[in-house]
Amino acid sequence: MSTLRRSTRTRSKPSTITDLGSDDDSSNESGVLSTVQQDDRTVMTDLSDEESSSDVDNNDDDDYEDPSTAKKSKKRKAPVRTKTSRSNIRPVKKAKKQAETNLTVNKPPSNTGTRKEQEEYLEVIKDFEPTELFDILANDENVSIEEIIRNYLDGYIENRATFIAEFINFLLCCCGAVVRVEEHDVSNNETANETISELQMMFQQQKIHEAFLLVSKNNKRRSKYKPLYQNFVEFMSKLIQIANDMQLLFTESEDSDSEIGPNQFVIDLLTWLSSLSVSKIRCLRQIATSCLYLLQDSLTEYIVEIEKNYLSKLTKQLTQEKKRKRPSEKTIERLEESVTELQANQQVIEGVIDNIIKLCFLHRFKDVDENIRGESVLHLSVWINNYPEFFLKVTYLKYFGWLLSDSSVYVRQQVLKTLPQLIASQNNKTNSNSSIRQFFERFKEKILSIALHDVDLEVRLYSINVFVEVSSLGYLEDLEILQISSLIYYDEEVKVQSHAKSSRFLAAVAKFFGRVLIEKNSEFSSNYVLEDEIFGLNSESLVKAGNLVGLLNKSLSYHFQNNENPSSKLKLKKLFQAAEFLHPYFGTLIEDICKLLTYKDDISYDFLNIEDEEEDTIIKKEFILPVDTKSIVLYSTTLNGLCHGVSVQQGQAKFRVAEEVLPFFETLLSQLPIHIADILIPLLSIFNLFKFEEWIHSGCEKNMSNILSKVMRTFNEMDISLKHDDLVTKWFAKTFELVKEMDITNLNDILINEVSSLMLHLQKFLTDKLDPSDYDSDFNELTTILYETYLNKLVLLGRSYSIELDSDFLKLFMENFISRLPIIFEYLNQETISVINFKFLTQFVTWNLQTWTDTIKNSLSTSHNTVGVPKDKIMMIASIIERLNTILVSSGHTRSGEIEESVKKFLLHWNICNALADIVSTLKVFEYSLPDNLKLWKEAFEDNFPYFLQEGASKCFTDVYIFLESITAKSLDIYIDRLAGEDININEVSLENVISLPESEFLLFTIKLKGLIKLKLISNQVEERLQINKEKFGSLYEKIVDNSIFERDQQNDIIHEENATHQTKATLVSSSSAGDEFDPIENPTQEEEVANAIVTNTNDDDIADDVDDISMMDNDHIETSEI
C-alpha cells in the first residue's frame, strides 16, 4: 500500500451527526472496560398496537440478499462448513512490536467481570494487534481521510476479499475485539450470516472488551484513541462520495443491456454490515448501525445532488435544445442518454436507501439499546432534511411519534430535539406542511402530555420548543395554547440569571408565549379598526400590552383552577416571576405600560365599538386594560417583572430600563392607589432595582425627594406588621436600607424626620391612650395600634437609623405599657399577644452598644485613654433588663392552666426571652471586651448589672424551649422524649399564623440558649434538657447542642485588629426572633445567618462556616489591640 500523505488542510468536523448518544450503560466508571454484552432479543417487545400492526415492520431482523441471487432462487442453501473453517476466524497472532501500538495494558477495575475473566483478558490483550486502518484513524488527527479511502478502494478493485476482511477487522478493533477474520472467511457473501455467527461466538468468549470507538465519542478526554471517532465518522461519510468518483457505485447488469444496478462494492457493504447490524452482541450491532446510517446520510445528500446539480440542468438544456428551430439530433440524443443514465443512477441509489431502511432502520429504531434508538432518530432527521421528497412523509414521521412513548429519557429527548429543527427547515414549503400537519394531528396530544407531565424537565423543555415552532402554523387549539402558556407559572422560585434546567424551561415557555402573542396581536388588529393613537400610545403597543396582560391573567387562572383559594400573595409572586422571564420578548413595553398606567383620563373599551354583549364580555377577559383595581394590580406586577427581567444585565440594558420607567415613577405614585398593598409592593420593588447612578443617567435624581416623601406618606397611613411573610414590611425595609446606602443628605433627612415624628406621636399616644389609671379601654385595640402604628415602624426605620430615647420617654413607656402587661394580660386575646414584641427595646440597647464600641475604638486609635462613661444610658438599659426579668418571672409558668392560656403565656414569654437573651448576651460580651484601662466602665457595669437574669428565669427559658420543641415535633411528625412533669398537649392548638417556621424558630432559640449557657447566665440543667432529643431533630440541631457548629480552626483564633472590630460589631447585633431582619446593624447576626440558612435549605456544613464561634464568649479579657 502506498505511503500515506498527511493532509495540509485544517481539519474540520464533518457535516454529519457526531453526537450519537450518551455513554453506553455497560461502560464501567472509567468509561473504557466493560463486559461483552449480549442481548437475547435485539428489539423491544413492548410496542404499541399501532406500531406492531404496521405492515412495514417485522419483529424479526432481516438480512440483505444479493439482488442477483434473489432472482435465481428464493431459498438459499447454507454452505457446508468444515471443522477447520471455524478456526479460520482466529484470535490475532502475537504482535511483533507491541510498542508500535498506542495500547497500554492496565489492570482492569475490579467491577469488570470476575477475577478469572480479568486475568484471561489481561493475557489475551497481550496478543492484541490493531489493524493498519485502525492504527491510522485512532492515532492521527491530521491524516488525510480522502487519501486513505482511495488507497483502500484501490485495494478493493484489486482484491475485494482483502478489503472486506480489513474493513470488518477495523470494526472489530473499534469494539475492542481480539478476534479477526481472514480473506477466505469473507470471500463469499452467501456465508456472511454464518461467518458473523461464528465471529460473534468467539467475541462472546472474550468476556471483557474495550469499546474504543464508543469511548472516543462519549469521553474523548479519557480515551486512549482520541481522534478515532471523528476520523471514523469522516471515513464513513466520505466513502460513498469517493467510491462514486472511482466508479464503484453503479454497474451495468449482465442480464440486459443498458440496465444499471448497484455495484458489487455496494452489495458487499450492505451484506456484511446488515449481518453485523442484527448481531446479538450490542457493540457490534451498534457500530454496524452507525456505519449504515452514515452511508445513508451520504446517499441522501448525493441523490439530491444528482437532481440539483446535474439532472435538472441537463433536462433544462434538453428542453431548450428541442425548442430550437433547428435542434441538433446528436445533442438531443447525447442529453437524453445522460438524463436516462442519471435517472437510472437515482433509482439505484433510491433502492439502496430503501434497502438500508428495511434492513436496518425498521429494526434498530426499536433496538433494546437506547443509544441505538436515539441514533436512529437523529439520522432519520438528517435523511428528512437531506431528501424530503422521499422521507418527509407520514410513513417516516410516524417513527418520531412512536418513540415519544419510549421509556428512555434519552430517546424522548432526541426525538423532541430533532422535531423543531425539522419543522423550522420545512416551514415555508407547502408540500411538507401537509405531512407535518398530519403528524401533529396524530401525535399532538402525546407531545402536549409530555410538556405537561413528563418526569424529566429537560424532555418537557424540548417539547415546548416543538410547540414554539408550530405556534404560527395554526395546529393548536385555544385550550392547548392555554395549557402550555400556564407552564410559565412554575411551582418553585427560579432565578432569571440561572442556567439550571428550570430556568431554561421557563425561558422556553416565555418564547412560546411571545410567538403566540404575535399571532394574537395580528388577529386582533385585523378584527378591529383602530386609530393610530389610543390613550397616549400607538395602537400597536396598546394591542400588545392588552393581549400580554390578558393571556397572563387567563393562564394564571388556568394554573390555579384546581386550587380553591390561592392567596393573592402567591398569585402575584408567580405572575412577577413569569413577567421576569418574558422580558426578552416584551421588555419594549415597559414605557408603554407606564404611559397607560399614568394616563390622566378614563380608560375604557369604547374605542373598539363592540355592540354585541357576548363579544364584549369575551374581549374584556382576553384583552385587559387598567380600568379597575384588579387590572391595575396585574399591570403593576407585570411592569415590575419586566423591569426585573433585565436585572441580570448591567450597563446599557439597565440604563435603558431606567430611562423608560423612572421618568414616570413619581406620577405612578401619585395616580395609582398605592394604599393597596398589591399595587404598592411592585412599585417599591422597582424603586429598589436602581442605584443612584441609574437615577442620574435617566435625569430623574431631582425627583427622588418627592418620590420618597410620597412613599413615607403612604408608610404613615399603613399599619405595619413585622411578620416574616409580610411583603409590605419587607419592601419598606429594603427601601430604607437603599436610601441609607445611597447616603444622600436630603433623603436621609426625610427618614430621620420621620423617626422624630413617630417618637412624638408615640409619646402622645402613651400619655393619652395608655393612662395607667384607665382599665376600661379596649386593650386589644390599643395594643394593636401601639405596635402597628408606632413601634413596628420605629423598629423598621431603626434598622438603618439610630433610635434615641431619653430617660423620661423610657419611663413613660415602661410605666404606661410594659409594667402593665401582667395586669392587662387577661384582657388580651391570642392574636393581640402575637403582635407584642420587644424589638424596640432591643434596638435601643444594640444602637447604644454600637455607639460605645465606636467611641472606645476611636479613643484608642487617637491615644486618648479616658472615655466618658454614659451612666444615664447604662441605668436605662439596667431598668429595661430589670423590668423584663420581673415580668417574665412573675407571670407564672407557660404550662400552668388551660392550653389556651398556656399558649398566650408562651407567646409573651417567648418574646421576652428573645429580648432578654439578645440584650444580656451582647452586654456580657461587651463587658468582657473592655480593656483593663477602662476601669470606670467596668465599675459602672458591676454597679448597674448585679445580675442579668433572675433566679427563676432559667425555668421560664426552659418552658419556652419545651413549647417550641413540642410545636416543632408536631410539624415534623416525630415523637420526642420528656422529663417527668413536662406533659404538654398542643395537638388542638393552631399556631400556623403565629409561628410560620417552627423548626427555624426552635433552632434559633436553641442557639440563644447555648450562648447563655456559655456565658453562665442560666442553669446548667438547661444544657442537660437540650440533650434529651438530640438525635431526633436532625444533624443541624445535634451540631448546635454538641457545639460542633461553632468550631473553628485554632489558627483562626488569632484575631487581627480589623477582624476583631468587625466581630465585635457583629456580636453586638441581636434579634428577638428567628430570621429577624430588623436589627439596626447592617451585618446580620449569627442567629439570622443560621435561620436564613435553615429557611433556604442550606447545607449543614455551609451553615457551620457562617456561624461565629460562641467560644469567644469566655471570661478572658480581650486585649486593647483587639477592640
Side-chain angles (χ1 to χ4, degrees):
M1 192 163 291
S2 61
T3 305
L4 293 175
R5 173 176 61 84
R6 301 302 177 188
S7 175
T8 58
R9 60 181 169 81
T10 302
R11 287 297 301 273
S12 60
K13 293 183 179 179
S15 59
T16 51
I17 294 176
T18 57
D19 182 14
L20 302 183
S22 59
D23 290 350
D24 194 293
D25 294 339
S26 62
S27 298
N28 65 338
E29 293 178 0
S30 67
V32 177
L33 293 179
S34 61
T35 57
V36 178
Q37 189 167 357
Q38 178 172 330
D39 301 307
D40 293 333
R41 293 188 61 88
T42 59
V43 296
M44 297 185 297
T45 57
D46 56 339
L47 301 177
S48 65
D49 294 337
E50 182 181 32
E51 182 181 346
S52 60
S53 62
S54 174
D55 58 352
V56 297
D57 294 339
N58 299 308
N59 289 330
D60 298 325
D61 289 333
D62 296 335
D63 301 303
Y64 182 74
E65 186 174 359
D66 190 324
S68 61
T69 59
K71 291 180 180 179
K72 296 178 181 177
S73 174
K74 293 183 179 180
K75 294 184 179 180
R76 184 175 56 190
K77 280 188 177 182
V80 178
R81 302 285 298 211
T82 64
K83 292 182 179 180
T84 58
S85 66
R86 181 176 298 274
S87 62
N88 289 334
I89 302 176
R90 56 173 179 76
V92 295
K93 296 179 180 179
K94 187 171 182 180
K96 295 180 180 179
K97 294 183 179 180
Q98 186 175 338
E100 292 179 358
T101 72
N102 194 30
L103 182 70
T104 56
V105 180
N106 297 322
K107 183 179 180 181
S110 59
N111 63 343
T112 307
T114 64
R115 184 178 183 85
K116 181 180 179 181
E117 290 171 350
Q118 294 175 32
E119 292 174 352
E120 291 176 353
Y121 174 75
L122 291 176
E123 189 65 29
V124 169
I125 202 65
K126 294 178 182 178
D127 296 335
F128 179 83
E129 181 182 4
T131 65
E132 181 183 13
L133 180 59
F134 179 86
D135 189 52
I136 295 168
L137 297 184
N139 295 304
D140 197 337
E141 292 186 358
N142 299 313
V143 68
S144 174
I145 300 296
E146 295 92 339
E147 187 69 21
I148 293 174
I149 296 174
R150 290 186 185 278
N151 288 337
Y152 274 89
L153 290 181
D154 285 338
Y156 176 84
I157 294 171
E158 295 175 4
N159 187 340
R160 57 174 289 275
T162 302
F163 173 86
I164 296 173
E166 178 71 16
F167 182 69
I168 293 176
N169 288 333
F170 164 69
L171 299 183
L172 291 172
C173 284
C174 289
C175 295
V178 297
V179 64
R180 296 288 182 269
V181 296
E182 299 288 354
E183 290 183 18
H184 57 267
D185 293 315
V186 297
S187 59
N188 187 354
N189 284 353
E190 293 187 9
T191 65
N193 292 334
E194 289 78 3
T195 301
I196 296 302
S197 296
E198 292 181 19
L199 185 150
Q200 177 179 289
M201 291 174 61
M202 296 191 70
F203 188 15
Q204 183 65 28
Q205 293 172 5
Q206 183 178 322
K207 301 294 185 182
I208 297 174
H209 73 124
E210 298 184 66
F212 299 121
L213 183 67
L214 187 65
V215 176
S216 177
K217 172 174 71 79
N218 293 326
N219 201 346
K220 185 175 181 180
R221 188 181 57 169
R222 292 187 180 182
S223 174
K224 297 175 183 178
Y225 306 112
K226 293 179 174 57
L228 176 59
Y229 182 70
Q230 182 178 337
N231 286 337
F232 167 80
V233 170
E234 188 175 354
F235 182 92
M236 296 307 304
S237 300
K238 293 183 176 180
L239 186 60
I240 292 296
Q241 175 191 342
I242 297 174
N244 181 55
D245 293 342
M246 299 178 68
Q247 299 182 353
L248 288 175
L249 288 189
F250 312 104
T251 187
E252 292 187 4
S253 174
E254 297 177 357
D255 296 340
S256 61
D257 295 336
S258 71
E259 183 177 343
I260 298 177
N263 190 282
Q264 183 63 40
F265 172 73
V266 176
I267 295 173
D268 289 338
L269 284 178
L270 292 183
T271 301
W272 291 96
L273 287 176
S274 62
S275 293
L276 282 170
S277 72
V278 298
S279 170
K280 293 185 182 299
I281 295 182
R282 184 170 296 190
C283 63
L284 292 178
R285 197 166 68 247
Q286 188 172 41
I287 195 170
T289 301
S290 296
C291 289
L292 286 168
Y293 285 171
L294 289 168
L295 292 176
Q296 186 87 310
D297 293 348
S298 300
L299 289 168
T300 52
E301 285 182 355
Y302 179 55
I303 196 171
V304 173
E305 183 183 341
I306 291 176
E307 176 67 35
K308 183 178 179 181
N309 295 342
Y310 302 102
L311 192 56
S312 62
K313 292 179 180 179
L314 290 174
T315 304
K316 185 177 180 180
Q317 291 178 20
L318 180 61
T319 304
Q320 291 175 346
E321 184 65 28
K322 287 181 178 181
K323 289 181 179 179
R324 294 177 63 179
K325 292 181 179 181
R326 295 179 180 179
S328 172
E329 295 297 331
K330 290 184 178 180
T331 302
I332 291 175
E333 183 180 356
R334 178 173 53 81
L335 289 173
E336 286 179 343
E337 288 178 356
S338 298
V339 168
T340 301
E341 182 181 354
L342 287 172
Q343 288 175 340
N345 290 348
Q346 275 188 321
Q347 291 177 0
V348 170
I349 295 176
E350 196 166 287
V352 175
I353 288 173
D354 189 56
N355 268 320
I356 293 177
I357 291 292
K358 291 178 179 178
L359 295 173
C360 185
F361 177 80
L362 291 183
H363 308 291
R364 300 287 67 80
F365 93 92
K366 52 188 177 181
D367 197 280
V368 293
D369 182 4
E370 65 174 20
N371 292 321
I372 296 178
R373 301 200 301 276
E375 189 174 347
S376 300
V377 169
L378 290 175
H379 282 279
L380 178 59
S381 68
V382 173
W383 306 336
I384 293 175
N385 283 323
N386 289 349
Y387 192 19
E389 292 79 6
F390 185 89
F391 284 100
L392 190 58
K393 301 172 185 176
V394 178
T395 306
Y396 295 103
L397 291 175
K398 66 185 178 183
Y399 297 112
F400 291 120
W402 287 343
L403 290 175
L404 288 171
S405 302
D406 199 285
S407 59
S408 167
V409 169
Y410 167 71
V411 175
R412 297 199 303 277
Q413 282 184 3
Q414 300 312 310
V415 174
L416 294 166
K417 280 164 77 173
T418 58
L419 285 176
Q421 302 168 8
L422 179 63
I423 297 166
S425 65
Q426 305 297 328
N427 239 349
N428 299 322
K429 301 177 182 178
T430 307
N431 294 335
S432 64
N433 278 348
S434 61
S435 299
I436 293 175
R437 177 179 286 278
Q438 291 178 56
F439 170 79
F440 266 91
E441 287 176 354
R442 188 171 178 181
F443 296 106
K444 180 176 62 175
E445 290 185 7
K446 181 59 184 177
I447 301 175
L448 181 61
S449 175
I450 290 174
L452 298 177
H453 306 299
D454 199 279
V455 295
D456 187 82
L457 190 60
E458 195 87 24
V459 173
R460 296 177 64 193
L461 187 158
Y462 292 132
S463 67
I464 297 297
N465 289 335
V466 176
F467 287 119
V468 168
E469 291 300 329
V470 302
S471 58
S472 61
L473 301 179
Y475 298 167
L476 298 176
E477 304 293 336
D478 289 343
L479 177 60
E480 293 164 343
I481 291 174
L482 194 60
Q483 288 176 306
I484 301 168
S485 300
S486 67
L487 296 175
I488 196 75
Y489 301 107
Y490 202 63
D491 291 334
E492 300 171 5
E493 185 175 347
V494 182
K495 300 295 182 183
V496 179
Q497 65 270 29
S498 170
H499 296 289
K501 287 182 182 180
S502 54
S503 179
R504 291 186 287 113
F505 175 77
L506 290 181
V509 180
K511 188 175 183 180
F512 174 82
F513 222 91
R515 292 285 183 90
V516 166
L517 281 173
I518 290 175
E519 300 301 319
K520 281 186 172 290
N521 296 337
S522 177
E523 181 182 356
F524 190 94
S525 298
S526 62
N527 291 339
Y528 299 96
V529 179
L530 304 175
E531 297 180 3
D532 293 338
E533 185 175 304
I534 307 172
F535 307 135
L537 58 154
N538 65 66
S539 58
E540 183 180 350
S541 297
L542 179 67
V543 171
K544 288 180 180 178
N547 280 327
L548 169 63
V549 178
L551 185 56
L552 280 170
N553 181 56
K554 195 173 180 180
S555 55
L556 183 65
S557 300
Y558 183 86
H559 177 77
F560 283 108
Q561 64 178 348
N562 296 324
N563 192 333
E564 294 182 357
N565 295 305
S567 65
S568 172
K569 175 185 174 182
L570 178 61
K571 292 170 70 175
L572 295 182
K573 179 181 179 181
K574 290 186 177 295
L575 177 59
F576 165 77
Q577 180 170 282
E580 277 189 297
F581 281 90
L582 290 170
H583 174 86
Y585 310 99
F586 302 100
T588 54
L589 291 178
I590 289 175
E591 184 174 355
D592 296 319
I593 292 176
C594 289
K595 288 180 180 179
L596 202 55
L597 289 173
T598 56
Y599 187 68
K600 295 181 180 180
D601 300 327
D602 292 336
I603 296 177
S604 68
Y605 291 87
D606 295 342
F607 71 96
L608 294 175
N609 299 317
I610 300 175
E611 297 180 358
D612 184 72
E613 185 175 344
E614 183 178 353
E615 182 185 358
D616 183 67
T617 302
I618 294 174
I619 201 67
K620 287 180 179 178
K621 290 181 179 179
E622 297 189 350
F623 182 76
I624 294 180
L625 296 174
V627 295
D628 53 21
T629 300
K630 181 181 177 181
S631 57
I632 292 174
V633 169
L634 291 173
Y635 267 85
S636 301
T637 306
T638 303
L639 175 63
N640 184 25
L642 292 176
C643 289
H644 276 77
V646 79
S647 62
V648 296
Q649 306 177 35
Q650 297 298 327
Q652 294 304 316
K654 190 84 171 288
F655 284 142
R656 176 181 56 79
V657 174
E659 291 170 354
E660 292 172 345
V661 71
L662 292 183
F664 297 93
F665 203 81
E666 184 177 355
T667 311
L668 286 169
L669 291 174
S670 300
Q671 291 191 202
L672 297 182
I674 58 175
H675 61 280
I676 298 173
D678 290 340
I679 296 175
L680 175 64
I681 289 169
L683 294 182
L684 290 179
S685 178
I686 293 172
F687 180 86
N688 279 269
L689 178 61
F690 301 105
K691 298 179 181 179
F692 187 58
E693 54 263 29
E694 280 134 10
W695 286 86
I696 296 174
H697 181 82
S698 62
C700 300
E701 71 278 6
K702 295 180 180 179
N703 301 337
M704 294 187 72
S705 295
N706 292 336
I707 290 172
L708 186 59
S709 296
K710 293 179 186 296
V711 170
M712 296 313 297
R713 193 177 304 122
T714 305
F715 179 70
N716 271 323
E717 295 170 355
M718 299 186 77
D719 294 331
I720 298 298
S721 167
L722 296 185
K723 291 182 179 180
H724 297 290
D725 57 351
D726 193 300
L727 293 178
V728 173
T729 301
K730 170 188 173 181
W731 284 108
F732 271 128
K734 285 183 176 291
T735 301
F736 301 154
E737 290 174 3
L738 178 65
V739 172
K740 180 68 173 179
E741 181 183 339
M742 289 181 177
D743 196 22
I744 301 171
T745 303
N746 58 338
L747 299 183
N748 281 330
D749 289 345
I750 293 174
L751 297 186
I752 292 171
N753 292 337
E754 181 64 25
V755 172
S756 301
S757 175
L758 282 171
M759 290 295 294
L760 290 174
H761 285 89
L762 174 59
Q763 187 172 2
K764 180 174 174 53
F765 180 83
L766 290 170
T767 303
D768 297 345
K769 301 296 183 179
L770 290 174
D771 189 334
S773 60
D774 180 12
Y775 287 95
D776 297 328
S777 300
D778 185 348
F779 290 110
N780 286 293
E781 180 182 359
L782 290 176
T783 302
T784 303
I785 293 173
L786 173 66
Y787 277 92
E788 295 184 349
T789 306
Y790 303 107
L791 292 178
N792 291 347
K793 292 179 181 179
L794 285 168
V795 169
L796 209 57
L797 286 162
R799 182 175 185 182
S800 302
Y801 296 90
S802 175
I803 306 295
E804 296 292 337
L805 305 180
D806 56 31
S807 57
D808 293 336
F809 179 87
L810 182 62
K811 181 180 179 181
L812 175 67
F813 181 60
M814 288 293 186
E815 290 181 354
N816 288 26
F817 179 70
I818 298 296
S819 298
R820 298 176 66 195
L821 277 175
I823 302 173
I824 65 175
F825 178 80
E826 61 180 299
Y827 302 107
L828 301 179
N829 56 39
Q830 181 178 318
E831 183 179 358
T832 303
I833 292 177
S834 67
V835 174
I836 296 175
N837 63 76
F838 302 93
K839 298 176 183 179
F840 180 64
L841 297 175
T842 304
Q843 223 168 49
F844 168 72
V845 175
T846 54
W847 269 117
N848 276 282
L849 289 173
Q850 178 71 72
T851 303
W852 299 345
T853 301
D854 292 339
T855 302
I856 295 173
K857 177 187 174 183
N858 293 333
S859 66
L860 294 173
S861 63
T862 57
S863 301
H864 292 292
N865 294 327
T866 303
V867 182
V869 180
K871 293 183 179 180
D872 55 337
K873 298 295 184 183
I874 292 176
M875 292 176 64
M876 291 170 66
I877 293 173
S879 67
I880 292 172
I881 294 174
E882 173 66 28
R883 197 65 56 90
L884 291 178
N885 268 287
T886 301
I887 296 172
L888 179 65
V889 174
S890 63
S891 56
H893 299 311
T894 59
R895 290 180 284 114
S896 60
E898 298 294 330
I899 185 64
E900 291 79 5
E901 188 72 12
S902 295
V903 171
K904 287 172 57 178
K905 287 185 179 180
F906 157 71
L907 292 173
L908 180 62
H909 284 195
W910 181 33
N911 280 289
I912 295 175
C913 287
N914 274 325
L916 275 173
D918 294 337
I919 292 172
V920 300
S921 295
T922 52
L923 279 171
K924 198 69 175 175
V925 172
F926 178 83
E927 182 183 8
Y928 288 155
S929 67
L930 290 173
D932 291 334
N933 60 340
L934 296 181
K935 294 181 180 180
L936 293 177
W937 281 81
K938 291 179 176 290
E939 291 175 0
F941 266 70
E942 291 174 0
D943 292 341
N944 288 279
F945 301 112
Y947 64 87
F948 285 99
L949 295 177
Q950 294 182 8
E951 291 184 4
S954 293
K955 179 63 175 174
C956 297
F957 272 89
T958 303
D959 287 347
V960 170
Y961 168 83
I962 292 171
F963 219 102
L964 284 171
E965 181 188 51
S966 301
I967 297 171
T968 304
K970 179 183 176 183
S971 68
L972 298 177
D973 194 23
I974 60 177
Y975 294 96
I976 56 175
D977 298 325
R978 300 188 186 280
L979 298 177
E982 286 186 357
D983 294 337
I984 181 171
N985 182 18
I986 62 166
N987 291 328
E988 299 178 0
V989 181
S990 177
L991 294 174
E992 287 79 6
N993 296 328
V994 181
I995 306 177
S996 57
L997 301 169
E999 185 179 10
S1000 176
E1001 303 284 10
F1002 172 59
L1003 293 173
L1004 183 58
F1005 193 77
T1006 305
I1007 288 177
K1008 293 185 178 185
L1009 287 178
K1010 291 294 294 184
L1012 294 174
I1013 294 169
K1014 191 75 174 179
L1015 292 167
K1016 301 180 180 178
L1017 294 175
I1018 57 177
S1019 170
N1020 288 331
Q1021 293 179 351
V1022 178
E1023 171 78 19
E1024 296 173 2
R1025 180 61 184 82
L1026 300 182
Q1027 298 281 345
I1028 292 179
N1029 295 297
K1030 183 176 66 174
E1031 298 177 354
K1032 296 187 178 181
F1033 287 106
S1035 60
L1036 181 55
Y1037 177 81
E1038 191 171 353
K1039 288 180 180 180
I1040 294 171
V1041 173
D1042 290 341
N1043 292 325
S1044 60
I1045 197 172
F1046 308 110
E1047 292 177 356
R1048 277 187 298 186
D1049 280 337
Q1050 294 181 357
Q1051 295 179 355
N1052 294 333
D1053 292 340
I1054 303 174
I1055 305 173
H1056 297 290
E1057 179 178 350
E1058 292 183 1
N1059 292 337
T1061 302
H1062 172 78
Q1063 200 173 51
T1064 304
K1065 288 185 179 181
T1067 307
L1068 295 180
V1069 181
S1070 61
S1071 60
S1072 57
S1073 66
D1076 180 17
E1077 297 182 7
F1078 311 108
D1079 55 275
I1081 310 302
E1082 294 178 1
N1083 296 324
T1085 64
Q1086 60 187 20
E1087 292 90 342
E1088 286 180 314
E1089 290 174 349
V1090 174
N1092 291 334
I1094 296 165
V1095 174
T1096 56
N1097 297 320
T1098 305
N1099 184 277
D1100 292 349
D1101 295 331
D1102 296 332
I1103 298 173
D1105 293 336
D1106 294 334
V1107 178
D1108 286 335
D1109 191 353
I1110 287 186
S1111 63
M1112 68 178 291
M1113 300 176 180
D1114 56 21
N1115 292 325
D1116 296 335
H1117 295 295
I1118 298 178
E1119 298 298 331
T1120 301
S1121 61
E1122 295 177 333
I1123 293 187

